[in-house]
Amino acid sequence: MGPTPLYDALKKFAGEDPLRMHMPGHKGKAMPAPEFSPLAAIDFTELGPTGDLFSGDGPIREAEALWAQALGMSGCLFLTGGSTQGMLSALTLACRPGDTLLLDRGSHRSAYNALALLDLTPVYLNRPWLEGAGVTGPVSPHTVEELLKTHPEVKTVCITSPTYYGVLSDIPTLAAVVHAHGGTLVVDAAHGGHLPFLGNDDLSAADLAVVSAHKTLPALGQAALLLAGRGETAAELCSRPTGAGGGHRFSHAALRRAASLFGSSSPSYVLMASLDLARAWMEEEGRAACEKTALAVAALRGRFPSLTALDVPLDPCRLVLRSADGFALQSALEERGVYVEMADRGHVVCILTAADSGADLARLEDALAQTLGSHLTPDALARACAAAALPPPPPLPEAALSPRAARFAPSQRVPLRRAEGRIAACQIAPYPPGVPVIAPGEHVGKKHLAYLREIGYNMEEVIEVVRPAACVAETDGPFQASGRAAEELCAQKDAGSKEGFS
């Protein structure tokens, strides 16, 4: 493997047998479970030889610089709180409290939490529904352009690429559109850490990006990256109108300040070392392994009903199977010892990575051959898959309160089936993938309940709704008028909804 400055420093220091009169409490010795003992030796705290994540020095900074170089970014910060920490940090960097944010409606719940924490006003960016595929398509640059014209107050755009289903958006084109309006593009690329090692450098066009290394790379759970882009390209600078803003660069110090708000002051050195090792491996043998996996996925797509690049631009390593009953297929695979990432009514999602061996891929193929459509002709199976496809999402609910007002308002708990007309104080989001059908501050409408029921959501789930006394108009802003109507609706619903759940 290539250089691993952090791992090497930790291993070297542990080999010196220092007397550890500091955290962690295990002191680098045997752990209660023997499987953990080898890791304890390199699990240190902030010391001279180990460096300090939030001071930006030592071997951690060296390892981060190698990651930035590998991904074509100007800066990188290690995260031990997953992409959730990264998204909160990125939006803290890109927005000021009270700003308006153009947000991909398909965003992870961490972005919705940022709306409440940072008091941001969302303008939602809807994706096109691909009826044949049964998923949402890429973010449209034309739609972004039109929304930025309609909402000139927006200075930050936040999208997800790739999605849980592997759908890729055109990040360079979107960045050019956003930069032409003087804005900042934030990309949640949690599922795309492997793509640069397959030759896809689109992420480098973003101003800020977040990658969950643990999702698709050989890094430990919660290991992630906060990345700063290189700013505008020369072509963008030349084409940008005089006086307009452009893509932004964020310093390493700025990344550290933002991430320290949401991360532990005692970040795991084991997690950070796993990031160092993952990059070194991927730059050499891991790259070839990832390419082999992509070829295997292409072959599986050809043999079994799946989403393909003919349907939508896709992550080459994401296998999204089409099924007449996704949940039944998931169960059938589990009976054969195969556990997938997620299922919905018409799909099963498998995450394949460079770590999957030839034996793993053969086992998956064998299990699919036994379970997927063995009793149907190809045409009949295709018709059954089409019939099982998810319905398009309903129209966006009406917003009555700001995300912050709703999230921090006094709330009560009611069964979802009895929540019609109430204002959500939480996200109502099938997970995975965790995309809200109803977000905090929005009305729970009849159409949205019908949609949730149709896709098999648990209607008995107890959710949080805003208490009637809190359903008041905000003093100003876009939610003022609807807040008064919300107060009346809440009062009407309160009597029959709170028994046993307050």
Side-chain angles (χ1 to χ4, degrees):
M1 292 191 300
T4 52
L6 176 56
Y7 173 69
D8 291 346
L10 297 176
K11 190 175 178 181
K12 179 177 182 294
F13 189 41
E16 296 171 359
D17 193 24
L19 180 61
R20 304 190 189 201
M21 294 292 104
H22 55 73
M23 302 182 290
H26 57 66
K27 302 300 183 85
K29 300 178 181 179
M31 299 284 284
E35 294 84 0
F36 286 89
S37 294
L39 294 177
I42 61 169
D43 188 24
F44 284 101
T45 189
E46 291 79 8
L47 302 167
T50 65
D52 182 344
L53 175 63
F54 293 122
S55 292
D57 58 17
I60 300 174
R61 183 68 182 275
E62 293 177 39
E64 291 170 333
L66 289 170
W67 259 109
Q69 181 179 350
L71 300 185
M73 308 298 280
S74 68
C76 170
L77 185 76
F78 286 174
L79 304 172
T80 59
S83 278
T84 292
Q85 180 191 2
M87 289 306 298
L88 295 173
S89 304
L91 291 172
T92 297
L93 284 163
C95 303
R96 294 176 181 270
D99 277 0
T100 300
L101 171 69
L102 183 55
L103 180 65
D104 182 353
R105 184 69 183 195
S107 295
H108 184 261
R109 61 187 178 189
S110 58
Y112 286 84
N113 289 339
L115 297 178
L117 290 172
L118 301 175
D119 195 16
L120 303 177
T121 299
V123 173
Y124 288 116
L125 173 60
N126 281 324
R127 291 169 175 256
W129 179 254
L130 306 180
E131 186 172 353
V135 298
T136 54
V139 172
S140 163
H142 175 74
T143 300
V144 172
E145 172 76 35
E146 292 304 308
L147 286 170
L148 289 175
K149 289 178 179 178
T150 306
H151 299 275
E153 73 277 15
V154 169
K155 297 304 177 187
T156 301
V157 178
C158 179
I159 70 161
T160 300
S161 182
T163 68
Y164 227 118
Y165 296 92
V167 176
L168 298 169
S169 293
D170 185 348
I171 296 174
T173 299
L174 290 166
V177 171
V178 174
H179 293 166
H181 288 266
T184 298
L185 178 64
V186 177
V187 177
D188 178 354
H191 287 261
H194 60 296
L195 293 175
F197 299 100
L198 290 173
N200 183 329
D201 63 352
D202 285 5
L203 192 61
S204 63
D207 298 299
L208 289 164
V210 178
V211 166
S212 278
H214 72 94
K215 284 185 168 64
T216 62
L217 298 173
L220 294 177
Q222 294 186 210
L225 306 166
L226 175 60
L227 302 163
R230 296 187 177 278
E232 288 181 291
T233 65
E236 288 174 342
L237 284 168
C238 293
S239 63
R240 176 160 49 83
T242 302
H248 298 282
R249 287 196 179 198
F250 294 89
S251 69
H252 196 269
L255 301 185
R256 298 197 308 271
R257 283 196 300 271
S260 68
L261 293 172
F262 305 104
S264 170
S265 60
S266 299
S268 167
Y269 278 77
V270 173
L271 294 187
M272 291 188 288
S274 80
L275 285 168
D276 195 20
L277 290 163
R279 186 261 322 144
W281 186 78
M282 288 300 299
E283 286 187 314
E284 295 187 6
E285 55 261 50
R287 191 186 305 272
C290 199
E291 290 171 352
K292 288 182 179 178
T293 297
L295 290 174
V297 169
L300 290 170
R301 289 174 180 170
R303 180 174 179 188
F304 302 105
S306 307
L307 294 188
T308 72
L310 297 177
D311 299 306
V312 63
L314 278 180
D315 169 2
C317 291
R318 189 60 50 98
L319 179 63
V320 182
L321 297 157
R322 304 290 302 277
S323 173
D325 187 334
F327 299 115
L329 175 58
Q330 179 184 32
S331 296
L333 289 170
E334 289 179 359
E335 290 174 1
R336 290 163 175 79
V338 177
Y339 288 80
V340 302
E341 177 63 23
M342 64 162 283
D344 62 33
R345 197 174 74 176
H347 305 92
V348 168
V349 177
C350 300
I351 296 180
L352 286 84
T353 75
D356 286 304
S357 67
D360 296 330
L361 295 167
R363 184 178 174 187
L364 173 62
E365 185 172 12
D366 182 62
L368 291 175
Q370 294 177 45
T371 58
L372 190 58
S374 57
H375 61 292
L376 295 175
T377 66
D379 287 345
L381 179 59
R383 290 193 297 271
C385 290
L390 290 172
L396 292 183
E398 179 188 0
L401 297 174
S402 72
R404 182 177 180 86
R407 188 64 184 83
F408 294 108
S411 63
Q412 63 187 122
R413 292 160 61 80
V414 301
L416 179 58
R417 61 180 172 78
R418 297 175 62 183
E420 182 182 344
R422 303 301 297 267
I423 297 172
C426 65
Q427 297 166 39
I428 303 172
Y431 195 90
V435 176
V437 175
I438 304 168
E442 294 177 342
H443 286 300
V444 180
K446 182 179 295 185
K447 291 182 179 179
H448 307 93
L449 291 175
Y451 172 80
L452 289 165
R453 189 176 293 110
E454 185 176 1
I455 65 173
Y457 197 77
N458 178 16
M459 302 305 291
E460 297 301 319
E461 178 178 321
V462 176
I463 66 166
E464 291 185 53
V465 296
V466 177
R467 283 190 178 275
C471 299
V472 295
E474 294 179 292
T475 55
D476 54 20
F479 306 100
Q480 184 173 16
S482 57
R484 296 191 186 96
E487 184 176 15
E488 297 174 2
L489 279 168
C490 285
Q492 294 169 9
K493 291 287 179 181
D494 185 43
S497 298
K498 64 184 180 181
E499 299 92 342
F501 295 102
S502 57

